[in-house]
Amino acid sequence: MNDRELGCNSGGGQFMDRGRMNQNGVVQPLLTDLYQITMAYAYWKSDKTDDQAVFDLFFRNNPFHGEFTIFAGLEECLKFLDSFHYSQSDIEYLKQTLPEGIENEFFEYLGNLTARDVTLYAIDEGTVAFPRVPIIKIEGPLIIVQLLETTLLTLVNYASLMATNAARYRMVAGKHVKLLEFGLRRAQGPDGGLSASKYSYTGGFDGTSNVLAGKLFNIPVKGTHAHAYITSFSSVGELKTRLLKHKQTGIMEDLLEHAIRHRQMLSHVLDVSTEESSEGELAAMVSYAIAFPDGFMALVDTSGLLNFSAVALALNDLGYHALGIRIDSGDLAYLSCLAREAFEKVAERFKVPWFNKLTIVASNDINEDTILSLNEQGHKIDCFGIGTHLVTCQRQPALGCVYKLVEINGQPRIKLSQDVEKVTMPGNKSAYRLYSADGHALIDLLQKVTEPPPAVGQKVLCRHPFQESKRAYVIPSHVESLYKVYWKSGKICQQLPTLEQVREKVQISLKTLRNDHKRTLNPTPYKVAVSDNLYNFIHDLWLQNAPIGELS
Amino acid sequence: MNDRELGCNSGGGQFMDRGRMNQNGVVQPLLTDLYQITMAYAYWKSDKTDDQAVFDLFFRNNPFHGEFTIFAGLEECLKFLDSFHYSQSDIEYLKQTLPEGIENEFFEYLGNLTARDVTLYAIDEGTVAFPRVPIIKIEGPLIIVQLLETTLLTLVNYASLMATNAARYRMVAGKHVKLLEFGLRRAQGPDGGLSASKYSYTGGFDGTSNVLAGKLFNIPVKGTHAHAYITSFSSVGELKTRLLKHKQTGIMEDLLEHAIRHRQMLSHVLDVSTEESSEGELAAMVSYAIAFPDGFMALVDTSGLLNFSAVALALNDLGYHALGIRIDSGDLAYLSCLAREAFEKVAERFKVPWFNKLTIVASNDINEDTILSLNEQGHKIDCFGIGTHLVTCQRQPALGCVYKLVEINGQPRIKLSQDVEKVTMPGNKSAYRLYSADGHALIDLLQKVTEPPPAVGQKVLCRHPFQESKRAYVIPSHVESLYKVYWKSGKICQQLPTLEQVREKVQISLKTLRNDHKRTLNPTPYKVAVSDNLYNFIHDLWLQNAPIGELS
C-alpha cells in the first residue's frame, strides 16, 4: 500500500488544495458522497462489519435515444480498488467533518480498510451492454462494498457515455472517414477533457488534439493551426524567411516566389482573382509550410483555396507533398465539394495526381445530425474534427448508472417502487448472451447464480422481467457467459486489455448487434429477459415485500 | 520552478498513466491542443519569438437562455501561469510526437519557456459578465500567449458555466432554501465532479456531498444515507444493539422499545396502520439514530413517515433532537406538505414544538424548472439536493468562450466573418461598467486603451458595436474599471480572494443587475457598447480588411 499522505494542517482544519488524484493518476477514496461514510459508521455501530453483500451496477435506459451502450471505465475501477486506502490525512479530515461523537475505533477501522475481501465481476470493457443487465457485480463485506458506490459510478458513467457517443459518431460517419476529438477547451473540467479523449478513442475515434491525453494514453494526437496563426501575419513583407531546402537536391529555394508564380496561374484555373485572397494569409501559409514541409495542412477560410493551392504547388516544386486543408466555417457540404473540385482541376492542369487525394478536414460545431445531413447532401470530407457535442455529450450529458443492493448474507433484497422501472432485480445473478446461428446477439438472459447455464441447441424460456405474458423460447447457437471475475483476494485477476484492444472490442461487439438495434431513427430495442426461475423468485419477493396500503 | 518530471520510458515511447496534474493539483501545459505547439514551432521558425500579442478571452452568448454569466476559474488560470513549464518528459514526448525535422533548438526554447513575460488582466472572479466583453485579456510574446489558449479556455469555460448554473438555481430557489450539490456520480469524470462542487458553491450553493471537494476546497459536506441502508435490514430482530445513552442522564435505554411505543400512538395521530410500515425500515432507522443521535436525518419513502416520527420521538425521550427527512421519490410538493402536516400534528400532540421545524430535504432529479413548478404549487421543502442537471449543466453543457488575437506588435487584428456575431473587436481595449444613481449596472463600455475613462456625471456616447443607428448617451453616477492586472513579471499581483469571498462577490455582483436581466422567462439583454472612437476604429479596419469578392 502506497503512502498517499496529503499533508494535513492539523491546526486549522485546512487541507491543501492538491492531491485530486494520487501519484498514479488514480482517484482517491474520498472522492465519494458523504453519506457513504455516515452509512459505514452506522453499519459499523450496528455490528454489520461482517455482513456479506452483493451490489449490482447497471443503467435503466440507453443514452441518446439509442438501443445500446458501450461499457467503459472498468480499468479505472480496478485501479481504484487496487489503491483503495484512506490516508492519515483523509482520516484527520473525516474526524473534523463527521458529526461529533463518532467512536475513535471506527476511524482505526477505516484506516485499515482495503478492497482485499471484495470480489468484482464485470462484463468485458468495450462490450455492448443493455438496460438492467448489471455491467458490474460486486460481492464482499457490506461496509466496503457500500463505500465503493459513488466512485465506481463516477468512473463508469461518463466513460461509458463517452464511448457510446463516440461509437455512434463512428457509425454515422462510416468506416472510411477519420474522426478526431477536438473538444478539450469545452470539456467539463481538465479531467473531463482527458476522459473524453480516452473514451472517444475507445469508441472508435482515430485521435485527439489533446496532447496530454496523447502522452498519458498513447493516443494519436493531431492538429494543424488556428485562425490566429493566419491573422498574426498581415503581409508577405513580414516573412523573416522564405527559404526552404529542396527535399531531394538540398538546395535552398524561395518558397514564396514559387507560390506567387503558381498563384497567378491558379487564379485562372480556379477562377478567383488574386485580389480576393489575402496577402497575410499567403504569408502565414508560406511560413507554416516552411515549418512543416512534409505535414502542410492549412486552415482555409472561404477565400483560402487559392493561397493554399499556390503554397502546396510551391512545396511540390521543392519535392514535398502537402497534406490538405481544414474548413471551420460556412456550408461544409458545399465548400468541401468546391475544394475537391478545385483540387481535381489543379491535379489535372499541373499534372500532380496526388492533389486529388488531399485531405479535407471539417470542424465547425459538428454533431451526429450534422454528419447525417452531410451524408445526405453529399460531401467530400475525409475527416471530422469534433468538439463540444462529442465531449460534453450535449444530447444527453449523463448516463444514469445506479448501484443497488440485491443480496445480504445470502438473503435477496428488492427495491420496490410504484414506478415499475425502478424495481430492482433481487439476488445474486448470472448473465448470459444468447446468439443466433448467424452470430447475432438475440437476447441477454439473467438467471439466479444457482441455475445451470443455458445450453447450446436447447430451448430456453426467456421471460420479460415484469410483464407476465411476455415470454419467448430461444434456442441459442452460442451462449456467452457475460461475467468474468476481474478482482478477487486483493488482486486484478484477468490480463487487462490495452486501450487498442478495448477499442477493437467495441467494433467487434457492435458487429454482433443487428443493424436495426443500431440505427439512428427508431431503433428496435434489444431484448433483456429473466429465466422462469428468476421471474418467479422476483415476483414472490415482490408480493412478500410490497406494503398493501400507501401513504399517498 | 518545481521539477515536475514524470518519468519517461525513453525506450518505447510509452509514458506512464499518471501525472494528470502536478503535485499541487494544477494542470500541466501539455493539457492543450496539438496545434498550439505546431503553431509555436511555425512562429519560432518564422522568427516571431519577440512579437508582442494581445489576446481577448470572451464568450458570445450567455448560457441557459439567460442574460448574464458568472465569471469563474481565474484562480486556476493564475496557478497555471505560475507553474507553466514543460518538463523534460514533456519535451521527450513532443520530440516523439511532432513531425520529423523539427529543429532541436526549438525544444530547448520550449524547455526554457515560462509565463514570466506575460501580463494578464481580468475582471474579478465572481463578477457578472456579458457577451463580447473580454473577461480576460492577455499580453505578451506571441508564442507563449498562444500556447496558453486551450488550457485557459478549459479552466474558464466549465467553471463559469457551473457557477452561472448554480447562481440560477439559487435565484429560483430563493435565499432561504438550502441548496446542496449531490452530483458526483453523474459528473463528467472525477475532476468534473470536483469542479462542479467547487463552482456550485461559488455560485451560491450551501454545500456538497463530495467529500474530497470538502477536503480540498473547505466546502461544507452534507449527506444522510441511501436506500441501500434501509434495505440492508429486514427486521428488528437483526438489530445487534438497541441501546443508546440518554443525553443528560447518561443511562443506557432501549431506543427500539421507545420507538415501538410511540409508533402505536402515532399510528392513530397520523392515521397510518403500523402494518403498512416496514419492520426492516424501523430497524434501519433505529440503528441510524443510534449512530447519529444528534444528527438523525432519514431517507423516507412514501411509507416512512410513521417510522421516522416514532424514532424521532424515541430520540426525544433520550434528550436528542432529530434533524429531519429526505424525500427522494414521488410527488415532492404533495409529499413535503404531507410530511410538514404530520410533523405539525406530532408537535402538537406530543408537545414537541421543534418537530414543526424538522428539515425536509428533496432530491429526485431536480432542475431549475422543477423548482419553479414546486414554487408555484406550494411546497414545504427546506433544502434541495441537486445532482445531474446541476453538475452536467444539462440545459447547455458547454460555455463557448473563445480566445482571439486582437493586436500584434501594436497593430490591431480583426477576425472577419460573414456572420457578424463572429467578427472580433480589434485592438487593445479597456472595459468599464457604468452605473445609475440607484446602483444598478446600466451598460458595459469597451474603449481603446488610449482613450480617457468615462467620467462620473458626464455624458458618454455608447454605440452598438455593429449597428450604426443604435446609440445612446449615458450619464454614469459611478464608473467601474473592469480590468485589474492579475499577473505580471512572473507574479500574481493581486491578493486573491478566498472561495468564500468569491461566493459573496457573486451575490453582490448579481444585486447590481436589474431584475429584468435576471428573470427566467424572456430576460432583457444587458447592453454592451463601444465608444464612438472604438466604433470608428473597428469599422475602418473592417472595410480595409474585408475582401470584396467571395468564393461562395
Side-chain angles (χ1 to χ4, degrees):
Chain A
M1 195 62 60
N2 288 330
D3 181 25
R4 290 183 288 104
E5 189 53 37
L6 284 176
C8 141
N9 176 344
S10 57
Q14 296 291 323
F15 295 80
M16 301 294 289
D17 177 4
R18 53 178 181 161
R20 288 148 183 253
M21 302 201 173
N22 75 7
Q23 295 159 347
N24 299 310
V26 178
V27 296
Q28 300 178 36
L30 277 202
L31 190 77
T32 189
D33 292 310
L34 183 68
Y35 78 1
Q36 309 293 1
I37 297 172
T38 52
M39 278 193 278
Y41 180 62
Y43 286 139
W44 183 85
K45 272 290 279 185
S46 314
D47 214 3
K48 279 176 157 300
T49 318
D50 292 326
D51 281 18
Q52 292 296 309
V54 182
F55 278 80
D56 284 349
L57 191 158
F58 63 95
F59 55 90
R60 297 191 183 106
N61 296 293
N62 290 301
F64 315 121
H65 309 296
E67 291 297 343
F68 71 90
T69 299
I70 303 290
F71 168 47
L74 179 59
E75 186 180 359
E76 295 289 321
C77 292
L78 298 170
K79 284 186 190 166
F80 169 62
L81 291 187
D82 197 35
S83 72
F84 186 95
H85 166 64
Y86 296 101
S87 70
Q88 208 43 50
S89 151
D90 291 343
I91 300 287
E92 280 308 314
Y93 174 72
L94 290 175
K95 282 185 183 174
Q96 290 177 29
T97 305
L98 289 172
E100 272 180 52
I102 304 280
E103 294 176 43
N104 213 41
E105 289 77 4
F106 172 68
F107 293 110
E108 279 170 35
Y109 169 83
L110 272 194
N112 290 319
L113 210 57
T114 70
R116 200 189 49 237
D117 299 330
V118 167
T119 305
L120 183 145
Y121 302 81
I123 67 174
D124 290 339
E125 187 160 4
T127 306
V128 289
F130 302 99
R132 303 195 154 280
V133 180
I135 45 190
I136 292 180
K137 179 172 78 166
I138 302 206
E139 300 174 359
L142 176 60
I143 294 185
I144 169 79
V145 178
Q146 178 76 68
L147 282 168
L148 301 173
E149 173 177 10
T150 307
T151 322
L152 293 180
L153 287 172
T154 302
L155 293 172
V156 167
N157 267 326
Y158 181 56
S160 300
L161 184 75
M162 193 60 242
T164 308
N165 202 20
R168 294 178 61 91
Y169 275 91
R170 169 52 69 205
M171 290 192 323
V172 299
K175 270 185 214 165
H176 303 297
V177 169
K178 292 246 180 253
L179 293 176
L180 302 175
E181 178 271 307
F182 279 1
L184 175 57
R185 65 189 61 197
R186 303 283 165 80
Q188 297 202 343
D191 188 71
L194 281 169
S195 304
S197 306
K198 179 175 177 181
Y199 295 110
S200 62
Y201 188 67
T202 301
F205 270 54
D206 298 290
T208 177
S209 64
N210 183 338
V211 188
L212 189 58
K215 183 181 178 189
L216 295 177
F217 310 125
N218 203 24
I219 301 172
V221 286
K222 303 285 178 190
T224 163
H225 64 77
H227 191 80
Y229 191 83
I230 303 286
T231 45
S232 80
F233 289 82
S234 57
S235 76
V236 293
E238 281 175 25
L239 280 172
K240 307 248 168 72
T241 177
R242 307 155 160 211
L243 298 181
L244 177 65
K245 216 178 251 178
H246 191 291
K247 192 167 183 179
Q248 281 82 43
T249 67
I251 296 168
M252 280 291 189
E253 300 195 29
D254 185 329
L255 191 68
L256 177 66
E257 209 180 279
H258 282 269
I260 289 175
R261 188 161 41 81
H262 287 301
R263 200 160 73 141
Q264 284 303 335
M265 283 270 285
L266 280 163
S267 159
H268 301 294
V269 176
L270 302 179
D271 195 21
V272 187
S273 143
T274 53
E275 272 147 43
E276 281 179 40
S277 76
S278 127
E279 279 259 306
E281 185 186 68
L282 180 63
M285 287 190 183
V286 164
S287 77
Y288 205 75
I290 289 172
F292 300 103
D294 270 321
F296 182 57
M297 158 77 72
L299 175 63
V300 162
D301 271 359
T302 39
S303 62
L305 271 181
L306 179 67
N307 282 330
F308 168 78
S309 302
V311 175
L313 286 175
L315 278 173
N316 185 58
D317 294 343
L318 274 66
Y320 302 96
H321 284 188
L323 293 184
I325 60 168
R326 176 164 72 95
I327 315 173
D328 191 43
S329 56
D331 179 331
L332 299 176
Y334 171 75
L335 290 174
S336 69
C337 292
L338 195 77
R340 183 66 70 212
E341 210 179 288
F343 296 155
E344 284 166 359
K345 277 188 198 160
V346 176
E348 201 194 324
R349 276 299 195 85
F350 292 79
K351 311 259 180 288
V352 279
W354 56 269
F355 230 86
N356 277 327
K357 305 279 175 211
L358 283 171
T359 296
I360 300 174
V361 181
S363 62
N364 182 23
D365 210 21
I366 287 162
N367 61 26
E368 234 185 290
D369 291 336
T370 322
I371 298 177
L372 284 169
S373 152
L374 285 167
N375 289 347
E376 220 168 81
Q377 294 167 70
H379 67 81
K380 301 290 181 183
I381 296 162
D382 305 293
C383 174
F384 289 103
I386 307 177
T388 317
H389 294 278
L390 175 70
V391 305
T392 65
C393 302
Q394 200 135 15
R395 206 163 163 186
Q396 180 183 323
L399 182 65
C401 279
V402 294
Y403 188 83
K404 296 292 171 190
L405 178 67
V406 293
E407 188 180 288
I408 189 161
N409 295 330
Q411 299 300 310
R413 285 295 185 274
I414 187 166
K415 187 198 164 175
L416 296 175
S417 172
Q418 287 174 298
D419 181 359
V420 169
E421 204 191 45
K422 288 194 166 182
V423 172
T424 59
M425 307 240 222
N428 195 342
K429 300 174 292 294
S430 308
Y432 299 94
R433 185 160 296 169
L434 312 188
Y435 291 88
S436 68
D438 67 357
H440 280 127
L442 289 169
I443 199 163
D444 278 14
L445 179 67
L446 292 168
Q447 298 191 158
K448 297 180 73 173
V449 279
T450 47
E451 295 182 67
V456 167
Q458 306 227 339
K459 209 161 69 169
V460 189
L461 179 58
C462 296
R463 301 196 61 170
H464 187 286
F466 303 116
Q467 294 180 37
E468 201 174 6
S469 63
K470 284 197 175 175
R471 297 166 303 173
Y473 283 115
V474 176
I475 303 176
S477 293
H478 171 57
V479 172
E480 183 187 14
S481 173
L482 290 176
Y483 298 136
K484 289 189 188 129
V485 182
Y486 270 95
W487 172 267
K488 193 172 187 169
S489 310
K491 285 203 182 63
I492 295 173
C493 42
Q494 300 282 340
Q495 171 80 35
L496 293 185
T498 63
L499 186 60
E500 287 295 336
Q501 287 168 333
V502 176
R503 187 168 180 267
E504 281 161 30
K505 179 86 181 183
V506 172
Q507 297 309 318
I508 292 165
S509 187
L510 275 171
K511 247 188 217 158
T512 66
L513 267 199
R514 285 200 325 258
N515 282 333
D516 59 312
H517 299 307
K518 292 183 284 190
R519 69 182 172 218
T520 310
L521 194 67
N522 296 330
T524 314
Y526 178 84
K527 286 195 175 57
V528 169
V530 296
S531 66
D532 192 45
N533 201 332
L534 181 56
Y535 180 90
N536 293 321
F537 179 74
I538 294 173
H539 290 259
D540 288 350
L541 260 176
W542 197 342
L543 288 178
Q544 277 167 40
N545 284 272
I548 294 162
E550 286 292 339
L551 243 181
S552 56
Chain B
M1 194 64 57
N2 289 330
D3 181 25
R4 289 184 286 106
E5 190 53 38
L6 284 175
C8 143
N9 177 342
S10 57
Q14 295 290 322
F15 296 81
M16 302 294 287
D17 177 3
R18 55 179 179 158
R20 288 148 184 254
M21 303 203 175
N22 76 7
Q23 295 159 347
N24 299 311
V26 178
V27 297
Q28 300 178 35
L30 276 200
L31 190 77
T32 190
D33 292 310
L34 184 68
Y35 76 1
Q36 309 293 2
I37 296 171
T38 52
M39 278 193 277
Y41 180 62
Y43 286 140
W44 184 86
K45 274 288 280 186
S46 313
D47 213 4
K48 280 178 156 298
T49 317
D50 293 325
D51 281 17
Q52 293 297 307
V54 181
F55 278 80
D56 284 348
L57 191 157
F58 62 96
F59 55 90
R60 296 191 183 107
N61 296 295
N62 291 300
F64 315 122
H65 309 296
E67 290 297 343
F68 71 89
T69 299
I70 303 290
F71 168 48
L74 178 60
E75 186 180 359
E76 294 290 319
C77 293
L78 297 171
K79 285 186 189 164
F80 169 63
L81 291 188
D82 196 36
S83 72
F84 187 94
H85 166 64
Y86 296 101
S87 70
Q88 208 44 50
S89 150
D90 292 344
I91 300 287
E92 281 308 315
Y93 174 72
L94 290 175
K95 282 184 181 174
Q96 290 177 29
T97 304
L98 289 171
E100 272 180 52
I102 304 281
E103 294 176 43
N104 214 41
E105 288 77 7
F106 172 68
F107 294 110
E108 279 168 36
Y109 169 83
L110 272 193
N112 290 318
L113 211 57
T114 70
R116 202 188 47 236
D117 299 329
V118 167
T119 305
L120 182 144
Y121 303 81
I123 68 173
D124 289 340
E125 186 160 4
T127 306
V128 289
F130 303 98
R132 303 194 154 279
V133 180
I135 45 190
I136 292 178
K137 180 174 78 168
I138 302 205
E139 301 173 0
L142 175 60
I143 294 186
I144 169 78
V145 178
Q146 180 75 67
L147 281 168
L148 301 173
E149 174 177 11
T150 307
T151 322
L152 293 181
L153 288 172
T154 303
L155 293 173
V156 167
N157 267 327
Y158 181 57
S160 300
L161 185 74
M162 193 60 241
T164 308
N165 202 18
R168 294 178 61 91
Y169 275 91
R170 169 51 69 204
M171 288 192 323
V172 298
K175 271 184 211 166
H176 303 298
V177 168
K178 291 245 180 255
L179 293 176
L180 301 175
E181 178 271 307
F182 279 1
L184 175 59
R185 65 189 60 198
R186 303 283 163 79
Q188 297 202 342
D191 188 70
L194 281 171
S195 303
S197 306
K198 180 175 176 181
Y199 295 110
S200 61
Y201 189 66
T202 301
F205 270 55
D206 298 291
T208 177
S209 64
N210 183 338
V211 189
L212 189 57
K215 184 180 177 190
L216 295 177
F217 310 125
N218 201 26
I219 300 172
V221 287
K222 303 285 178 188
T224 165
H225 64 78
H227 191 80
Y229 192 84
I230 303 286
T231 45
S232 80
F233 289 82
S234 58
S235 76
V236 293
E238 280 176 26
L239 280 173
K240 307 246 168 72
T241 177
R242 308 156 161 211
L243 299 181
L244 178 64
K245 215 178 249 180
H246 190 291
K247 194 168 181 178
Q248 281 83 41
T249 68
I251 296 166
M252 280 291 190
E253 300 194 29
D254 185 327
L255 191 68
L256 178 65
E257 208 180 278
H258 282 270
I260 288 176
R261 187 160 43 78
H262 287 300
R263 200 158 74 139
Q264 284 303 338
M265 284 272 284
L266 281 163
S267 157
H268 302 294
V269 177
L270 302 179
D271 195 23
V272 187
S273 142
T274 54
E275 271 146 44
E276 280 178 40
S277 77
S278 129
E279 279 258 309
E281 183 185 69
L282 179 63
M285 286 190 185
V286 164
S287 77
Y288 207 75
I290 290 172
F292 300 103
D294 270 321
F296 182 57
M297 158 77 69
L299 176 63
V300 162
D301 270 359
T302 38
S303 63
L305 271 181
L306 180 65
N307 282 330
F308 168 77
S309 301
V311 175
L313 286 175
L315 279 173
N316 185 59
D317 295 343
L318 275 66
Y320 302 96
H321 285 190
L323 293 184
I325 60 169
R326 177 164 72 95
I327 315 172
D328 191 43
S329 56
D331 179 332
L332 299 177
Y334 171 75
L335 290 174
S336 68
C337 292
L338 196 77
R340 183 66 69 209
E341 210 179 289
F343 295 156
E344 284 166 355
K345 277 187 198 159
V346 176
E348 201 194 323
R349 274 300 194 84
F350 292 80
K351 311 256 179 293
V352 278
W354 56 270
F355 229 87
N356 276 327
K357 306 279 176 211
L358 283 171
T359 297
I360 300 174
V361 181
S363 63
N364 183 24
D365 211 20
I366 287 161
N367 61 25
E368 234 185 289
D369 291 336
T370 322
I371 298 178
L372 284 170
S373 153
L374 284 167
N375 288 346
E376 221 169 81
Q377 295 168 68
H379 66 81
K380 301 289 181 182
I381 297 162
D382 305 293
C383 174
F384 289 104
I386 308 177
T388 317
H389 293 277
L390 175 69
V391 305
T392 65
C393 302
Q394 199 134 16
R395 206 162 164 186
Q396 180 182 323
L399 181 65
C401 279
V402 294
Y403 189 83
K404 297 292 172 189
L405 178 66
V406 292
E407 188 180 290
I408 190 161
N409 295 331
Q411 298 300 310
R413 285 295 186 269
I414 189 166
K415 188 198 165 176
L416 296 176
S417 172
Q418 288 175 296
D419 182 359
V420 170
E421 204 191 44
K422 287 194 167 182
V423 173
T424 58
M425 307 240 220
N428 195 342
K429 299 174 292 296
S430 307
Y432 299 94
R433 185 160 295 169
L434 312 188
Y435 291 89
S436 67
D438 66 358
H440 281 125
L442 289 169
I443 200 164
D444 278 13
L445 178 69
L446 292 167
Q447 299 191 160
K448 298 182 72 174
V449 279
T450 47
E451 295 181 69
V456 167
Q458 306 226 338
K459 212 160 68 170
V460 188
L461 178 58
C462 296
R463 301 195 62 170
H464 187 288
F466 303 115
Q467 294 180 37
E468 201 175 4
S469 62
K470 285 198 175 173
R471 297 166 300 172
Y473 283 115
V474 176
I475 303 176
S477 294
H478 170 58
V479 172
E480 184 186 15
S481 173
L482 290 176
Y483 298 135
K484 290 187 187 130
V485 182
Y486 270 95
W487 172 267
K488 194 172 186 170
S489 308
K491 285 203 181 65
I492 296 174
C493 42
Q494 299 282 340
Q495 171 81 37
L496 292 184
T498 63
L499 186 57
E500 287 295 338
Q501 287 168 334
V502 176
R503 186 167 180 266
E504 281 161 31
K505 179 86 181 184
V506 171
Q507 298 309 320
I508 292 166
S509 188
L510 275 170
K511 249 190 214 156
T512 65
L513 267 199
R514 283 199 328 254
N515 282 333
D516 59 312
H517 299 309
K518 293 183 283 191
R519 69 185 171 215
T520 311
L521 194 67
N522 297 329
T524 315
Y526 178 83
K527 287 194 175 57
V528 170
V530 295
S531 66
D532 192 46
N533 201 332
L534 181 55
Y535 180 90
N536 293 320
F537 178 73
I538 294 173
H539 290 259
D540 288 351
L541 261 175
W542 196 341
L543 289 177
Q544 277 168 40
N545 285 274
I548 294 164
E550 285 291 340
L551 242 179
S552 56

